C-alpha cells in the first residue's frame, strides 16, 4: 500500500511531455516543410508606375509577346520594352488617359517636362539572385513557353510572380523537360493546351500522341534536347 | 599530423638538364627549402599586421553584430527589397541588352597599330581582341589588352589644368582660339612616333611657322639611322634564318608582324595540319645582353655587353663581305667562332638581320649593309625599307635647341611619352620647356610633363576617338570610337589639330551640336576618300573590316654607304662595367605605371611585380661581392629567416653612380645575362607619398595615382644623350645596407618535383640527343613520373557496361597551348584578367603569394651540360588544366566544384565556404581564393570556360527548318 505507484512512474509525466512535445514539434515541422511554400516569392505583385495591363495588350489586342520583349529569342535578357516602343502607338492612342501621363512626360518634347528622356522605372517582378545566370533565348528556342515560368501573363491585369523560380523548381524541368516542351510556333501562344493541340493536329509525327508528356518526349527526341544539370549551367 | 613530406630524388638518374626558377632554388638555400616545405608563406594564414587585425573575424562580428540585429528588427529586413528595370527611352540601334556588339578599331603604336575587335556591351567596351581579318594581325600583346583599363581608370586625367592647377575647358578654348588666330606665331608640335595618315595630312596644311617634331622616350638611334621618315619592316615568312642584334622583336621592339615568325617555327605548319617536318622551321640567332623573350625563343644565343654589339655587327659584316670597318675592335675568339658558325648557316638561306631600336646608329647601318650584301633587302625580300606618312620629323635634340634658341612661341605636346621625366637628362627639358611662351600638354595622365606645362588638356582615349593609323606594313587602319568621351573636358588629337587649322580656333569635340559629327570624323573620312575614293560603300567597308584592303607603304631605301665610318666614330664606347637602361615589359617607358594590370603582371624574365630592380649576372655578382647580399648562403638565424620569405622578402639596395647622378636600387640575380652588365628598367619611380618604404621625397606625388605611387626606382636621371642605351660605370656599385621589399612571384606555387616544363630537342648529334623517339620515351619519365608507381585512379572511367562515362557525347571542351611557341609574354595573363574581372591585389598581398591571376607564367632557366651562365629559358603557362579526373572536385566538402557534362571543371562560387582543400589538392596550384576573410561570399576559382565566349557557343542556336517542318 505504501508505494502504490512503481518508481518508474516518477519520471513518466516528464517523459510523456517530451514525447508529446516531440510529436507536436514533428507535426509542426512536417507541416512547415511540406505544407508551406519554399519561397515567399510567389504572388509578388508590385504596383508599377504605369498600370500596364498585359490582358489588354496581349489578350484583347492579340499582340505577340515579342513585339515588346523583342530580344527574348536572341539574348539572355528578355528586354522590357523601351519607351519608344510604347510611344509607337500611344502617341496616338489614349492620348488623354491619365494612366499614360508618366510616358507622355518622358516622350513628348512638346510638354517640356523635366522627366523628358528619362526611363520609366518599372518595378522588377521576376528576379533570380545575382549568382545565377538565366538565358531566355536558350529556353525559348527549344520550345519552353513563357507560360511555363511566368504563368498566364496574358490574363494578368497587373503582373505577379506565378512560379517560385527556385533552383529546385528549375531542376524539376531540367530533369523532365517533356512537361514543358511544345512546338516552336506555339511557344508564344499562351492559350496553348497540349491535348487540344494534339487532337486537332494532323502532323504525321504527332500521330498517336495524347498528352503534354507524350508531345514533350517526342520533341525531346526530335530536337535532342539535353538540359544540362551541372552547376556551371547557371552558376558561372 | 603534419603534411607528409615526400623525399623525391632531385633529378632522374640519367638526366643532365638542371632547371631552376630562382636563385634560391638553384643554391638550395635553407630559406628556400623552408619556403618550399610550407606551401603558403608564414603569416599568410593570419592577418598579422595591425591594419589587418582590425578586420579579424571577431571584431568583424562585433562590428556587424549590432547592425545585423538592428536590420533584423527594422522594417527593411521583412520586406523583399525592390529592384527596378530601367529600359532606354529611345532604343539605340544595334544594341541588344545582354549581347555583345563588336566593332573594329585599332590601337595606334609607334611600331605599327594593333588591329582590334572591341567587344562592347550596351555601348561600353569591355574587352579587346585581335582583328583576325587584318593582314597584319599578330594577336594582342599585354599592353594592348591592358589598354582598356586606361579608359576606365579613375586616376585618368579628367580636367584641364593651368600651370598644374585645375582650370576649365572654356578657359582653354579661349587660349586655343588665340593661338589658332595668330597665324604668324611660331608653333612647335610634338607627336609620338605612331603613324597616322590624317595627322600627316593635317600637318601639311599648317603654314611655315609651325614646325613638327616627333619624340618617344625609347625610340633609340634607329630613327637617326633609318632616316627620312622611313622605317624597316621585316617579313618573317620569307626568312629562314633570323639574326637579332639585341632586338626583342617578338615583344617589346617589333619590326613587323610577328605571327609569321611563329608560324615558321611550327613544324606542322601554322594550322597544325601538315606532316611534321623540321625543314620548314626557321632558326633564330640572338645576340643580346639581358634575357629577353626573343632571347628565350632563340636557338642560339650569344651574350655580349651592349658596347660589344658593334663589334659583333662589324664581324658579321666582315665575314659576309659587306665591308671591313677598321675602327672597330676585333672580337674575342669565342665570339668570332660563334659568328663564323652563324654566318656559314646564313649564307645559304634567305635571312633577315635585325637590330634593336636602341642600338647605336653604326649597328643599324652595318645591319643594312649586311642585309644588302646577303640579298635580303628590297621588295619581295624579307627586309624592306618603307616610307611612312609622317615623313621626316625633327627629334628631341632639335626641339630642345629650338626652345633654348627662343624659336618656339607655343609648344604643343601630343607625344604619349613624358619628356620632362624621360628625356635624356643632359637636355634639361624642363628648363627648355619653360622658355616657350605657352606650352600645352595633351595626355591621358597628369604626369610630370602635364604639370610642367602651362596647359594640360585631358586626352580622349583611343576607344573614344576618331583617328586612323597604319600598321607595320602600312595597311590603312581606322580607329573608331566605341563611346563618347567619358569626361566632357577631353579632346582628341585630331580635334585639336582641326581647331588649330580653323579660322576661329573653336575646339569641337565629340558631337558638338546634337547630331553633328566630330571634326575628327570629318577629317578621317576626308583622308580616306583621298585614298580610296568617295562613296558610302568603301567607307562602310572600312568601318566593318577595320582596314582598307590592299593598302601598304611605299618602298623606300636606305643609303648607308659612306655613313658607317662616321657612325662608328660616334658610337658610345664601352667600359669594364656597363649599366643598361632597359625597356620594361610592364610599364614600357613609364607610360603604363598607373595601369594596375600591367604593374601586377610579373616581369616575364625577372618575375618581379610592382617595382624594378637592378639585375646582375651571377658571376659578376660574385666578383663584385654582391652575391651574398642577394642569396645569403648561411645565416645565424637560418631557422627563422630574417627576410626572403613572403611579405618579408627584401632586396638589398646598391648605389650606382653615373657622372654626378646616383641611383639606389635593389639588386637581384639575372640569369642568362651578359657578365659585367647591370640592367635597370626604365619607367619607374615617378612619384612617392608618405607611405614610401624608403621615405623618398614626395614632391612628385601628384604625377602618379595610388596605383603607380611608391613604385620602383627612377633610372632616367642617369641617362644622357650620349649614354641613352647604356652607360659605363666608373666604379663598382656600392652596398648601402638598406633593404627594400620586393614582390617576386618566381617561387610561388612551386611544383614540388612535378615536371610541368619538359623539353626535347630535334638535334641529332652523337652526344646525348640521338634519337627523337628515344627522347620522347624519356621525357615521359621526367620529374615525379620517373619514380611514381602506376596510377590507381579513384575515378571510374567506364560504367558497368564498359561504356566511357562521358556525359555529353557530342560536345567536349579542350584547350591546347603550343608550348614550343609560347614565349612567356604575359598577354594571356592580362587577357584573362580583362575577360574575367580578376582583381589586382597590390604589392604586399602579392608578396604573400596571393596574386589572383588565373593563368600564371612560370619561367624556368635550364642549363644543359652544366653551363649555368648561358641557360635556356623555358616559359610554362599554367592555368587550370580542367582535369577529367580532377583531384580538386573530389575533396570539396560542399561540392562547390564539379565537372560539367562537357568536360570542364566548374566552380559554383556561391556554394564555396573557403575550405581551400581544392587548392591544396591541385597538383598545378591553379586555384585561387578571391576573398581573404571567411564570409559567406568566398569563392575559389580556377575555371573560366563556363562563361564568356565558350558559354555563348553552347547556347541553343535556332533550330533549322528541317527539325520544325510544318
Amino acid at each position: 500500500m505504501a508505494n502504490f505507484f512503481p518508481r518508474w512512474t516518477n519520471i513518466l509525466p516528464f517523459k510523456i511531455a517530451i514525447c508529446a512535445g516531440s510529436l507536436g514539434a514533428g507535426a509542426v515541422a512536417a507541416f512547415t516543410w511540406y505544407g508551406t511554400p519554399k519561397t515567399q516569392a510567389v504572388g509578388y505583385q508590385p504596383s508599377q508606375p504605369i498600370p500596364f495591363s498585359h490582358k489588354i495588350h496581349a489578350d484583347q489586342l492579340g499582340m505577340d509577346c515579342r513585339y515588346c520583349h523583342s530580344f527574348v529569342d536572341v539574348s539572355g535578357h528578355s528586354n522590357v520594352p523601351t519607351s519608344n516602343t510604347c510611344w509607337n502607338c500611344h502617341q496616338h492612342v489614349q492620348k488623354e488617359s491619365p494612366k499614360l501621363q508618366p510616358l507622355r512626360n518622358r516622350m513628348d518634347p512638346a510638354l517640356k517636362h523635366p522627366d523628358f528622356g528619362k526611363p520609366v522605372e518599372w518595378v522588377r517582378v521576376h528576379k533570380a539572385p545575382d549568382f545565377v545566370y538565366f538565358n531566355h533565348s536558350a529556353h525559348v528556342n527549344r520550345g519552353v513557353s513563357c507560360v511555363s515560368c511566368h504563368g498566364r501573363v496574358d490574363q494578368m491585369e497587373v503582373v505577379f510572380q506565378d512560379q517560385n523560380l527556385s533552383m529546385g523548381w528549375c531542376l524539376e524541368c531540367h530533369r523532365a523537360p517533356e512537361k514543358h516542351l511544345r512546338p516552336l510556333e506555339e511557344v508564344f501562344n499562351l492559350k496553348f493546351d497540349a491535348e487540344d493541340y494534339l487532337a486537332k493536329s494532323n502532323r504525321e509525327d504527332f500521330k498517336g500522341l495524347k498528352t503534354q508528356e507524350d508531345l514533350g518526349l517526342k520533341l525531346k527526341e526530335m530536337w535532342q534536347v539535353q538540359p544540362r544539370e551541372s552547376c556551371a549551367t547557371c552558376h558561372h | 599530423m603534419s603534411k607528409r613530406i615526400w623525399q623525391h630524388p632531385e633529378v632522374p638518374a640519367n638526366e643532365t638538364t638542371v632547371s631552376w626558377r630562382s636563385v634560391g632554388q638553384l643554391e638550395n638555400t635553407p630559406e628556400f627549402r623552408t619556403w618550399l616545405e610550407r606551401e603558403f608563406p608564414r603569416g599568410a594564414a593570419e592577418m598579422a599586421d595591425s591594419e589587418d587585425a582590425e578586420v579579424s573575424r571577431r571584431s568583424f562580428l562585433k562590428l556587424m553584430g549590432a547592425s545585423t540585429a538592428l536590420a533584423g528588427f527594422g522594417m527593411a529586413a521583412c520586406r523583399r527589397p525592390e529592384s527596378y528595370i530601367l529600359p532606354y527611352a529611345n532604343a539605340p540601334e544595334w544594341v541588344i541588352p545582354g549581347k555583345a556588339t563588336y566593332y573594329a578599331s585599332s590601337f595606334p603604336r609607334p611600331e605599327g597599330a594593333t588591329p582590334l575587335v572591341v567587344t562592347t556591351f550596351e555601348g561600353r567596351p569591355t574587352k579587346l581582341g585581335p582583328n583576325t581579318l587584318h593582314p597584319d594581325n599578330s594577336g594582342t600583346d599585354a599592353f594592348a589588352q591592358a589598354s582598356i583599363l586606361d579608359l576606365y581608370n579613375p586616376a585618368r586625367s579628367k580636367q584641364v589644368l593651368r600651370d598644374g592647377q585645375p582650370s576649365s575647358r572654356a578657359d582653354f578654348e579661349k587660349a586655343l582660339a588665340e593661338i589658332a588666330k595668330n597665324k604668324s606665331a611660331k608653333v612647335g608640335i610634338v607627336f609620338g612616333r605612331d603613324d597616322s595618315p590624317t595627322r600627316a595630312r593635317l600637318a601639311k596644311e599648317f603654314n611655315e611657322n609651325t614646325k613638327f617634331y616627333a619624340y618617344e622616350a625609347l625610340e633609340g638611334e634607329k630613327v637617326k639611322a633609318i632616316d627620312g621618315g622611313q622605317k624597316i619592316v621585316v617579313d618573317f615568312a620569307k626568312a629562314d634564318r633570323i639574326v637579332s642584334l639585341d632586338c626583342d622583336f617578338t615583344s617589346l621592339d617589333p619590326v613587323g608582324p610577328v605571327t609569321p615568325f611563329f608560324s615558321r617555327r611550327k613544324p606542322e605548319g601554322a594550322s597544325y595540319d601538315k606532316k611534321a617536318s623540321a625543314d620548314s622551321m626557321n632558326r633564330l640567332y640572338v645576340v643580346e645582353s639581358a634575357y629577353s623573350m626573343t632571347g628565350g625563343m632563340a636557338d642560339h644565343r650569344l651574350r655580349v655587353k651592349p658596347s660589344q654589339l658593334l663589334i659583333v655587327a662589324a664581324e658579321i659584316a666582315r665575314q659576309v663581305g659587306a665591308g671591313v670597318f677598321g675602327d672597330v675592335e676585333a672580337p674575342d675568339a669565342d665570339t668570332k667562332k660563334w659568328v663564323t658558325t652563324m654566318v656559314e648557316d646564313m649564307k645559304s638561306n634567305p635571312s633577315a638581320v635585325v637590330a634593336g631600336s636602341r642600338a647605336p646608329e653604326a649597328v643599324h647601318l652595318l645591319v643594312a649593309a649586311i642585309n644588302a650584301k646577303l640579298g635580303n633587302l628590297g621588295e619581295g625580300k624579307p627586309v624592306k625599307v618603307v616610307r611612312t606618312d609622317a615623313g621626316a620629323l625633327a627629334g628631341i635634340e632639335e626641339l630642345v635647341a629650338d626652345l633654348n634658341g627662343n624659336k618656339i612661341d607655343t609648344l604643343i605636346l601630343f607625344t604619349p611619352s613624358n619628356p620632362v621625366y624621360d628625356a635624356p637628362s643632359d637636355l634639361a627639358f624642363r628648363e627648355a620647356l619653360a622658355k616657350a611662351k605657352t606650352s600645352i600638354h595633351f595626355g591621358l595622365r597628369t604626369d610630370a610633363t602635364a604639370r610642367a606645362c602651362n596647359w594640360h588638356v585631358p586626352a580622349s582615349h583611343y576607344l573614344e576617338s576618331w583617328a586612323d593609323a597604319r600598321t607595320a606594313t602600312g595597311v590603312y587602319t581606322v580607329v573608331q570610337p566605341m563611346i563618347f568621351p567619358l569626361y566632357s573636358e577631353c579632346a582628341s588629337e585630331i580635334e585639336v589639330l582641326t581647331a588649330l587649322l580653323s579660322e576661329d580656333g573653336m575646339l569641337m569635340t565629340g558631337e558638338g551640336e546634337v547630331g553633328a559629327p566630330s571634326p575628327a570624323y570629318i577629317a578621317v573620312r576626308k583622308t580616306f576618300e583621298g585614298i580610296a575614293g568617295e562613296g558610302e560603300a568603301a567607307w562602310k567597308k572600312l568601318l566593318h573590316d577595320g582596314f582598307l584592303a590592299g593598302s601598304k607603304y611605299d618602298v623606300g631605301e636606305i643609303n648607308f654607304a659612306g655613313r658607317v665610318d662616321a657612325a662608328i666614330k660616334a658610337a658610345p664606347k664601352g667600359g669594364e662595367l656597363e649599366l643598361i637602361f632597359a625597356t620594361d615589359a610592364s610599364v614600357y617607358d613609364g607610360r603604363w605605371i598607373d595601369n594596375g594590370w600591367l604593374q601586377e603582371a610579373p616581369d616575364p624574365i625577372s618575375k618581379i611585380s610592382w617595382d624594378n630592380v637592378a639585375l646582375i649576372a651571377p658571376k659578376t655578382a660574385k666578383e663584385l661581392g654582391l652575391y651574398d647580399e642577394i642569396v645569403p648562403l648561411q645565416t645565424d638565424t637560418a631557422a627563422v629567416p630574417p627576410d626572403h620569405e613572403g611579405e618579408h622578402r627584401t632586396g638589398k639596395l646598391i648605389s650606382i653612380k653615373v657622372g654626378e647622378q646616383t641611383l639606389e636600387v635593389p639588386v637581384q640575380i639575372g640569369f642568362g645575362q651578359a657578365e659585367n652588365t647591370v640592367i635597370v628598367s626604365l619607367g619607374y619611380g615617378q612619384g612617392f607619398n608618405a607611405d614610401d618604404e624608403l621615405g623618398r621625397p614626395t614632391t612628385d606625388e601628384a604625377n602618379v595615382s595610388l596605383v603607380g605611387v611608391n613604385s620602383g626606382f627612377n633610372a632616367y636621371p642617369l641617362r644622357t644623350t650620349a649614354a641613352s642605351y647604356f652607360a659605363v660605370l666608373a666604379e663598382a656599385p656600392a652596398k648601402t645596407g638598406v633593404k627594400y621589399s620586393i614582390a617576386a612571384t618566381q617561387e610561388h606555387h612551386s611544383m614540388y618535383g612535378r615536371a610541368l616544363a619538359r623539353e626535347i630537342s630535334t638535334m641529332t648529334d652523337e652526344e646525348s640527343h640521338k634519337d627523337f623517339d628515344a627522347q620522347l620515351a624519356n621525357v615521359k619519365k621526367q620529374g615525379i613520373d620517373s619514380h611514381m608507381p602506376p596510377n590507381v585512379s579513384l575515378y571510374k572511367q567506364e560504367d558497368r557496361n564498359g561504356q566511357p562515362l562521358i556525359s555529353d557525347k557530342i560536345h567536349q571542351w579542350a584547350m591546347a597551348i603550343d608550348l614550343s611557341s609560347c614565349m612567356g609574354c604575359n598577354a594571356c595573363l592580362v587577357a584573362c584578367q580583362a575577360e574575367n574581372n580578376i582583381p589586382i591585389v597590390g604589392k604586399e598581398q602579392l608578396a604573400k603569394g596571393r596574386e589572383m591571376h588565373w593563368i600564371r607564367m612560370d619561367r624556368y632557366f635550364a642549363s644543359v651540360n652544366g653551363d649555368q651562365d648561358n641557360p635556356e629559358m623555358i616559359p610554362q603557362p599554367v592555368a587550370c588544366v580542367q582535369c577529367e579526373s580532377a583531384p580538386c572536385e573530389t575533396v570539396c566538402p560542399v561540392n562547390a566544384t564539379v565537372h560539367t557534362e562537357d568536360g570542364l571543371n566548374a566552380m559554383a562560387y556561391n556554394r564555396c565556404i573557403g575550405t581551400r582543400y581544392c587548392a591544396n589538392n591541385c597538383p598545378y596550384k591553379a586555384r585561387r581564393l578571391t576573398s581573404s576573410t571567411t564570409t559567406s561570399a568566398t569563392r575559389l576559382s580556377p575555371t573560366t570556360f563556363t562563361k564568356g565566349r565558350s558559354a555563348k557557343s553552347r547556347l541553343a542556336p535556332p533550330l533549322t527548318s528541317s527539325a520544325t517542318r510544318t
Side-chain angles (χ1 to χ4, degrees), chain B residues 677-811:
Chain B
T677 56
V678 179
I679 296 174
V680 182
S681 6
L682 294 165
Y684 287 90
Q686 295 188 34
F688 314 101
N689 65 13
D691 292 331
D692 182 44
E693 200 179 315
L694 297 171
R696 289 169 281 187
T698 62
T699 35
D700 289 334
E701 187 178 347
N703 292 350
V704 284
S705 72
L706 283 175
V707 173
V709 78
N710 301 335
S711 181
F713 302 84
N714 184 6
Y716 276 114
L718 276 64
R719 191 172 166 253
T720 58
T721 38
S724 66
Y725 180 41
F726 70 94
V728 175
L729 293 177
E731 35 190 80
K735 299 185 208 183
T736 63
V738 182
K739 290 188 253 183
Y740 181 75
S741 54
I742 297 213
T745 62
Q746 57 202 4
E747 284 170 8
H748 295 173
H749 310 291
S750 267
M751 286 289 96
Y752 303 100
R754 296 180 190 96
L756 272 190
R758 305 187 188 195
E759 238 200 353
I760 57 178
S761 170
T762 56
M763 272 167 48
T764 49
D765 62 37
E766 283 83 34
E767 278 181 32
S768 49
H769 305 291
K770 253 199 194 130
D771 186 46
F772 193 73
D773 294 318
Q775 284 188 80
L776 261 180
N778 191 40
V779 84
K780 289 193 172 116
K781 296 198 237 96
Q782 283 186 1
I784 287 189
D785 292 330
S786 66
H787 57 277
M788 227 172 46
N791 185 35
V792 177
S793 175
L794 292 174
Y795 282 88
K796 289 197 180 60
Q797 305 293 339
E798 291 168 355
D799 63 18
R800 256 171 286 191
N801 305 324
Q803 295 303 311
L805 279 172
I806 296 173
S807 310
D808 189 330
K809 305 226 186 319
I810 304 175
H811 305 106

Side-chain angles (χ1 to χ4, degrees), chain B residues 408-601:
Chain B
I408 298 180
D409 294 331
T410 308
L411 181 67
I412 306 180
L413 291 153
F414 287 115
T415 172
S417 282
N418 186 357
V420 166
Y421 164 72
D422 57 35
S425 56
D426 55 332
L427 289 177
F429 189 83
R430 189 189 283 269
E431 286 76 24
L433 180 66
K435 298 215 171 92
K437 292 204 187 66
T438 316
S439 53
I440 303 174
H441 175 263
F442 178 82
L444 276 175
R445 296 173 48 219
T446 51
D447 52 19
T449 309
R451 293 190 184 274
C453 286
N454 297 125
W455 290 98
H456 162 76
V457 182
S460 302
H461 192 270
Y462 72 88
L463 289 170
E464 302 168 323
S465 323
W466 275 105
D468 54 16
R470 295 263 186 196
T471 56
T473 60
V475 178
Y476 181 94
T477 308
V478 74
V479 177
Q480 57 171 329
M482 303 295 131
I483 192 171
F484 278 142
L486 293 176
Y487 304 106
S488 53
E489 300 207 349
C490 292
S492 77
E493 183 187 278
I494 294 183
E495 284 163 351
V496 174
L497 288 173
T498 315
L500 283 168
L501 282 170
S502 67
E503 282 307 312
D504 56 2
M506 281 311 298
L507 178 62
M508 304 232 281
T509 58
E511 282 184 2
E513 301 109 52
V514 175
S518 154
Y521 168 83
I522 298 172
V524 170
R525 187 133 186 203
K526 186 160 168 215
T527 312
F528 180 69
E529 284 172 1
I531 299 175
E534 293 183 25
E536 284 295 312
W539 176 248
K540 288 236 154 68
K541 190 161 185 358
L542 174 75
L543 293 183
H544 174 271
D545 292 350
F547 63 97
L548 175 64
S551 53
K552 58 185 166 94
Y553 279 136
D554 293 326
V555 177
E557 62 174 10
I558 174 174
N559 181 13
F560 50 83
R563 290 169 63 193
V564 185
D565 287 314
I568 290 177
K569 281 201 184 60
K573 302 280 172 288
E576 216 179 279
L577 195 56
E578 292 174 15
L579 167 70
I580 304 177
F581 304 104
T583 310
D584 189 74
S586 289
V587 304
Y588 196 64
D589 56 0
R591 64 186 68 175
W592 302 102
I593 198 172
D594 283 331
N595 188 311
W597 291 347
L598 286 172
Q599 281 262 47
E600 184 142 305

